[in-house]
Structure formats: structure tokens, C-alpha cells
Amino acid sequence: MTRPPVRTAPTGAVYFSLLGPLTARLDGHELPLGPRKQRLVLATLLSRPNTPVPVEVLTDAVWPDDPPRTARKNLQVYVSAARTLLGPAAGHEGRDRVVHGCGGYLLRIAEGELDTLRFGSLARAGRAAAGRGDLAGAARLLREALDLWEGPPLNDLRDSAGVAEEAGRLEARCLTVYEDWAETEIELGRPAVAVDGLRDLVERHPLRERLRAAWMNSLHQSGRQAEALAVYDDYRQLMARELGLEPSPAMAALYRSMLGRGREARRPAPAREAVGPAAPPACTAAFTGRPGELRELLEVLGCGEERVVVVSGPAGAGKSALALRAAHLLADRFPDGRVRVRVRREDGTARSRAEILAELGRLCGVAGNAAPPGNTASPEGGAGGDRAATAALADAWQEWQARHRALVVLDDVPDEASVRGLLSRSGKCSVLITARGQLAGLAPVHRIALPALADAEALELLGKLIGAGRLRADPGAALRIVRACGGLPLAVEVSGMRLAVLRHLPLAEYADRLDDPSAALDELVAGDVSVRHRIASGWQDLADGDRWVLGRLAGLAEDGGFTLDRATEALGCGERAAIRAVESLIDAGAVTSPAGEVTAHAALYEVPRLLGLYAHEREGV
């Protein structure tokens, strides 16, 4: 496969990103880009790289309504500061990166220094590969382009009309490339790879017909005909209600053809031996922090020596986000694919081994006849022929792992039994497991436990959602909010989502609400995202005895933690029984303990604040 030529930036060069929050990194370290107006100038220049940008355009971006008389002079100050911060143009020592001419200001930048330029190059190369008939190469290149996206482009500066317009253009380009990629995967016989991403995009862009057609096709080719037909019916009703129109003739023809073909699904080409890299869903745009854990994860999985890693932490700790981030960054280490399979259903119940194997088989092109995904008669896929079919697919899955180098993310694993038999016994495949508990029965594995976010990390996450300016306006209240969230990423994210809608609400007033133990969980709801609901799911994982113990210990944790002596007193039991009870909760991820070695009597144990509040609700402590 021919890849597009890339001019890689030399060591010491700056790398700019617009596909997400505006960032600039120097040798991997993020640079401070100055006040908001200076960032608006830089974003506008980067959105038109190597092209003169008129002063009037920059002025409108920074002062859309009533620019001051000193606007031109202020722009000169911002540009001068940017020159100092960013240094000379790559490969042109002594030449300013930002220059002024008759057409305006021009920012010199190479393809390897800006993610939007790299994105465009990969997209063009992918379409060229498709035009030559190299569908596998096209899918790989288009997926590589999509992996550059870290969320809505320039999402921290969209209150500027000029920047918002450019962000809209970038999003439209992304949607088009995603449609190209999804259609290519369907053509290759790998429709299941694209189903979840297409569903999410259709929910955000319900009237975009090409997206909806691709979703219909991916469902139908995966054998899910009823769902595919329902997608069309929903679209037809939406068009009639919103626009008074019918779907296009092409869309209607696609629907009729699916009615005629029944449930027959298209299969992968049998001659294909190596599967192209499947890709997990995109990382969350608000992913923040966890530098130490991410670095450890990349080092362990990247070296090729550790084949199984368990990332553990309470519900809402950001385990899945960290795993997806690592999976995207490790693309070059796993040429045969990176796939993610959820081990639980949406209702929190565990999926059967047959279901998981069937999905792995669809994603990776493993030959075999697994029991259908709906069959959950037993962990082994049922009796008789179903059990034999599941065993055959399990053998085929082990054979596939022995021949390939892929990364498999098993997400939200409830217990060890759910993944035994799925882990590679030989070969170069690696497995990344996320779980609330530590899965002590799995060995040998590398374990990473996620602690609460540090204050600085939590504030950064909150700032991405409500805007850095609002955060700086009342830093004390912002700090109270993230601490009231217990540093739990989900709670901080929900707080940010809520405050982004309630723009009139002072941060101090919201902090007061979260400080109230009786109201905090009620406040941590944004739309259909509820922290209480997520914590309740983790609560259901605990045994009845563990729930009672947690309810007793939660009261001790309110003043900063508890010792073993206090736990023994609160539980009304002997020391050995108290140790076993506390360590059972540590194993389940409901109690945190010191990272370093310390005796049981000297250790200070903690219950995460929000989990403690929920325990109070349930146990009436």
C-alpha cells in the first residue's frame, strides 16, 4: 500500500492541533498559548495555513461586534507573542513562522506540524487507493485520518463566529471521510466494525442521508435486518415531520432491496488472510490527565512483553476512555488490528462467552460458526450443537491470535470467568481489560489502578467543558466543584456538561449544591447521563455482605479516611474479619488503599465520596 509522503517535523518543532481543543506541543509538552484573544488569532491563522489572512478577518474573529480603535495594534501584539512562543518555521532557521505582507498575516507550517494538513493528505491518499481498487489500503488510510480527531474541532473557541464557521467546515470534512471509511469497510465485508460509530453520528446528524444509508447497510450486512429497516422507517418519519419530504429515490431503493434480500448477510471474502486494522470508537473529546497511567500503559503494551493488562477503578473513573486513548496511540504497534468489545450489556448483565466470541469473530474476520448473539442459555453458549459451535469458534479465535499481532480491548469486565478462554495462549496479540474490580484471579497480568484525578487534572477537564475564561473567573469555586466530585472523571464531566447549559449559574452556587451531601447526586445529572445510575451499577456488583460493610465504612470516610482499628470498631467484629472485609472491598474497587507498602494497621483507607453518599442512601447509615 502506498502511503502519502509526510514531512516529519524535526526535534524541537511545534505540532499544532485543531481537531479538538486548540493545542500546540513542543517535543510532546503542551505550550501555553496565552489569553483567549491571542488563541483566536492563532486558530484563525492555523485554519488557513500557508495562506495570507486579511487583518479584517482576524479582527472579526477576535472582536465580532465592536472592535476597539486599538484593534490593529492589539493584533500586532498577539502576533508578536505568537512568534516568540512558536519560534522559527521548521527547516527555515532565522525565518519567522508568522509573516506580514500585503495580503495580511501568513503562518508558515509543514504537513507534519498540523493535524488538519495531515488529515487532508491521508484522506486524499485513501480515496486514491479506493480508486485503484485497493480497498484494504483505503480503509487503513481513512481510519488513520479519522484517528487524528480528538473531539469537536476548536471546541474551546466556538463562541467566535469566524472560528465556529471554520470548525463547521472541519466537521463536515470529517463526516465525509467517515462515510468513505464506513462504506469501504462494508465493501470489504467488515460491516460490524462501523456499526456503533455510524449509530452515534446519525444521532448527532439525523438528516444526513449518506450516513444513515451506511448505517442501514452495516446493520443489514451484519445480519440485523429488522434494525436496518427500522432505521429507514425512523428516517422517513423524521423527513416528513421536519421537512415535509420523502427520502430520496436512492434511499427508498436501498430499503426495497433489503426487503427483498431477507436476512441474508454478506460475508467476508474467504481468501482474505490478514485482516485490516479494525478500530475502536473515537476517544472522548474531553479526555484529560492520566499522564502517568497512560505512559505506563503505552510502555507495557508497546514493548510486546506483557500480553494482558488490567485497568481497574470504580464506575466513572475513566477506564474505558484511557483504554481507547491507548488503543489509538498504539496503532503502529498492532498492524493486524485494534478492537473493542463490551463484556456487559447496557443493562449491566454479563454477556455470554458465545456472544463475545461471535462479536470478536465478526470484527476480526475469524472463521467459525458461533452460537447466535442472542443465545445466553449458559456461559458456554448452550447445550449440544450450540456448545460445540462455541467451542469451534473459541479454537478458531485462539488460532487467529496465534497468527496475528492485534490489540483486543475487553471493556467493562465483571469477573475473571467472563474473559477466561478469550486471552491469547500464544502469539503476539495483547489484551487490555477494563474492570471495576482488580480481577485478582487472573495471572500473570500487569495491573494499573486508576486513582481519583488530581486537582489540576480535574480543573483542566472542567475547563474544557465550560471554557477557560469561566474557570478563571472563580477558581476557588471551580476547585470546590471538582473536590466535591471526589476527582471522579465522570462526575467532573457531568458537572461541566450541566454548567455548559446553565451558563447563568455562578460556579459558587453550583459548588454549594454539590457540597450538600443530601443533594450532590441529584445535581450530577446531565440529560441522560447520571452519576447515580453509574454508581448504582457498581453497587450491584458487590455481594450483599460487602454492601453492608461499605455502608458502615462510608460514615468513617467522611473526615478523610479510616484506619483498621476504626473499621474493626464500626463493623463490630474481630481484627482478622475486619481485614478480610476491607480487602474484599479493595479488590472490588470500592475502597482505596495506599499505593506503597504499609502495614494494615498503619494504612489509611478511603471510600470515594460519591460512592459513600450512595451507600448512605441505600443502607440508611
Side-chain angles (χ1 to χ4, degrees), residues 17 20 28 43 53-54 101 105 115 141 147 198 241 268 289 319 333 336 362 364 376 378-379 520 527 568 599:
S17 177
V53 179
Y105 289 98
D115 56 3
L141 288 164
D147 284 348
L198 286 167
R241 183 172 62 250
K319 303 178 293 294
R333 299 300 182 97
D336 293 319
R362 288 194 299 271
C364 297
T376 58
S378 79
T568 301
T599 64

Side-chain angles (χ1 to χ4, degrees), residues 112-364:
E113 295 178 301
L114 179 60
D115 56 3
T116 55
L117 291 179
R118 178 68 178 143
F119 174 83
S121 178
L122 286 166
R124 288 190 296 272
R127 289 165 180 150
R132 298 192 302 270
D134 179 12
L135 296 181
R140 186 187 298 265
L141 288 164
L142 293 170
R143 185 66 250 183
E144 191 174 338
L146 293 171
D147 284 348
L148 293 173
W149 286 72
E150 298 183 358
L154 298 168
N155 57 18
D156 53 336
L157 298 172
R158 289 201 179 197
D159 51 345
S160 166
V163 172
E165 184 179 351
E166 177 58 31
R169 285 194 289 267
L170 289 172
E171 281 190 320
R173 290 172 60 192
C174 179
L175 286 173
T176 300
V177 172
Y178 200 100
E179 289 160 343
D180 291 340
W181 170 76
E183 290 168 357
T184 304
E185 290 288 1
I186 293 168
E187 186 69 19
L188 282 167
R190 302 193 298 242
V193 174
V195 168
D196 287 343
L198 286 167
R199 178 192 59 202
D200 293 343
L201 287 174
V202 167
E203 288 177 356
R204 295 202 296 271
H205 306 276
L207 292 173
R208 193 172 175 102
E209 187 168 285
R210 188 182 172 198
L211 267 181
R212 196 173 285 264
W215 188 25
M216 285 176 62
N217 254 326
S218 64
L219 287 168
H220 183 78
Q221 299 298 342
S222 298
R224 299 160 63 178
Q225 187 200 30
E227 293 174 70
L229 298 178
V231 169
Y232 177 84
D233 286 336
D234 289 345
Y235 181 61
R236 178 177 55 78
Q237 294 175 31
L238 179 67
M239 288 283 287
R241 183 172 62 250
E242 298 291 333
L243 304 176
L245 298 174
E246 288 290 322
S248 71
M251 192 73 164
L254 176 64
Y255 174 74
R256 288 193 298 271
S257 70
M258 289 181 179
L259 284 173
R261 289 202 301 267
R263 290 186 58 83
E264 181 182 356
R266 181 166 155 185
R267 304 295 180 191
R272 179 170 56 89
E273 170 61 23
V275 347
C283 313
T284 176
F287 180 85
T288 301
R290 306 291 189 203
E293 291 84 0
L294 181 58
R295 188 183 314 112
E296 181 180 358
L297 200 51
L298 296 177
E299 289 174 354
V300 170
L301 290 172
C303 72
E305 296 178 1
E306 296 281 355
R307 291 212 299 269
V308 181
V309 178
V310 174
V311 176
S312 62
K319 303 178 293 294
S320 299
L322 177 65
L324 292 176
R325 183 72 161 183
H328 282 280
L329 294 175
L330 287 166
D332 59 334
R333 299 300 182 97
F334 295 99
D336 293 319
R338 299 156 293 138
V339 296
R340 191 273 293 265
V341 172
R342 293 187 178 94
V343 182
R344 293 182 205 252
R345 301 184 186 88
E346 292 296 330
D347 62 3
T349 58
R351 300 171 69 191
S352 72
R353 185 163 171 251
E355 289 178 272
I356 298 168
L357 282 167
E359 184 170 350
L360 287 168
R362 288 194 299 271
L363 291 174
C364 297

